[in-house]
Amino acid sequence: MTSVIVCDDHGIIRSGIARILETTPDFQLMASPSTGTRLLETLQHVKPDLLVLDIRLTDCSGLDLLGQISIVAPETRVVMLSMYGAKGYIDKAKARGARGYITKECLDEELVSVLHAVMRDEGFISFPSATPNTGSREKSSEANIDALSSRELEVMKLIASGLTNTEIGEELTVSPRTVESHRASIQRKLMIRTRAELARVARDAGLLD
């Protein structure tokens, strides 16, 4: 029996993964903390075989937790969970010791398949698979995309999908001025000047997949 901890700040995600694990005979859910702080506290007492860890928690970055997790629970294999399949995130997760990377849009069987593959020591497993960058400009943009906040990533995806500031504001329940502020911040952080460039970076980073 493979013991699992799931750490995500969204209750619906935790309960969804718990349901999947409960219907898979060889997995046993041990705990489901909602923050990085609670996760580290849990790992002091429970050392699971697998940890499914959200890349962005309310109190910290899941990527930043990987170093602490490797000290507290060195035998635990970590699979990162994210809204986005950006190659920059996947590369960083791999470099920091994660054993896998999955997006929240994956199907039940895809999640189970990744967890099984990680337990079989099949190397670093990502779903969807990362595609290689082509050209230095894309590398630069994806290397910086993790500097964006969760809300900025949402805004970036919606802008790249062709929505106006007003439409994005209605979607996110904020004012068009707030959307424009996020857009300016995104372009500053990624060192891009136009919406067309923003859309290209979002596409290359996998935000529109």
Side-chain angles (χ1 to χ4, degrees), residues 1-198:
M1 183 72 71
T2 299
S3 57
V4 185
I5 285 180
V6 176
C7 182
D8 191 287
D9 55 0
H10 292 95
I12 192 169
I13 297 294
R14 295 196 305 275
S15 60
I17 295 178
R19 175 185 56 78
I20 295 170
L21 296 177
E22 287 169 359
T23 58
T24 307
D26 48 346
F27 289 121
Q28 180 180 12
L29 181 64
M30 306 298 292
S32 53
S34 59
T35 67
T37 299
R38 290 178 180 174
L39 170 63
L40 292 176
E41 291 174 351
T42 301
L43 289 176
Q44 295 291 337
H45 309 287
V46 181
K47 312 294 185 186
D49 299 310
L50 272 173
L51 166 61
V52 179
L53 175 61
D54 190 6
I55 205 166
R56 287 182 178 273
L57 300 166
T58 53
D59 61 341
C60 64
S61 161
L63 289 171
D64 291 341
L65 282 178
L66 287 172
Q68 297 178 68
I69 292 169
S70 68
I71 295 172
V72 177
E75 301 302 317
T76 295
R77 305 176 191 196
V78 183
V79 175
M80 301 306 298
L81 183 65
S82 176
M83 289 282 291
Y84 309 107
K87 187 175 183 297
Y89 284 150
I90 296 173
D91 289 345
K92 183 167 287 189
K94 182 178 180 180
R96 296 190 181 187
R99 304 292 291 275
Y101 186 106
I102 52 178
T103 59
K104 294 183 180 181
E105 63 184 14
C106 71
L107 302 177
D108 293 9
E109 59 266 27
E110 293 164 346
L111 170 63
V112 171
S113 176
V114 169
L115 297 184
H116 278 146
V118 168
M119 289 306 299
R120 289 194 299 266
D121 281 328
E122 295 184 7
F124 183 84
I125 308 296
S126 66
F127 187 90
S129 299
T131 55
N133 285 322
T134 55
S136 60
R137 191 171 187 181
E138 284 84 350
K139 289 181 181 179
S140 174
S141 296
E142 288 194 343
N144 293 328
I145 197 171
D146 60 333
L148 303 181
S149 67
S150 298
R151 179 46 61 93
E152 286 171 342
L153 284 168
E154 288 181 298
V155 171
M156 183 178 185
K157 181 176 182 179
L158 293 172
I159 290 175
S161 298
L163 274 64
T164 66
N165 285 358
T166 299
E167 291 169 333
I168 294 171
E170 292 174 352
E171 178 77 16
L172 301 179
T173 321
V174 298
S175 70
R177 178 174 292 184
T178 297
V179 175
E180 179 61 22
S181 176
H182 285 311
R183 181 199 60 77
S185 177
I186 293 166
Q187 293 185 189
R188 183 179 67 255
K189 289 180 179 180
L190 298 182
M191 295 181 288
I192 55 180
R193 295 184 178 181
T194 67
R195 281 181 173 246
E197 285 183 286
L198 185 151

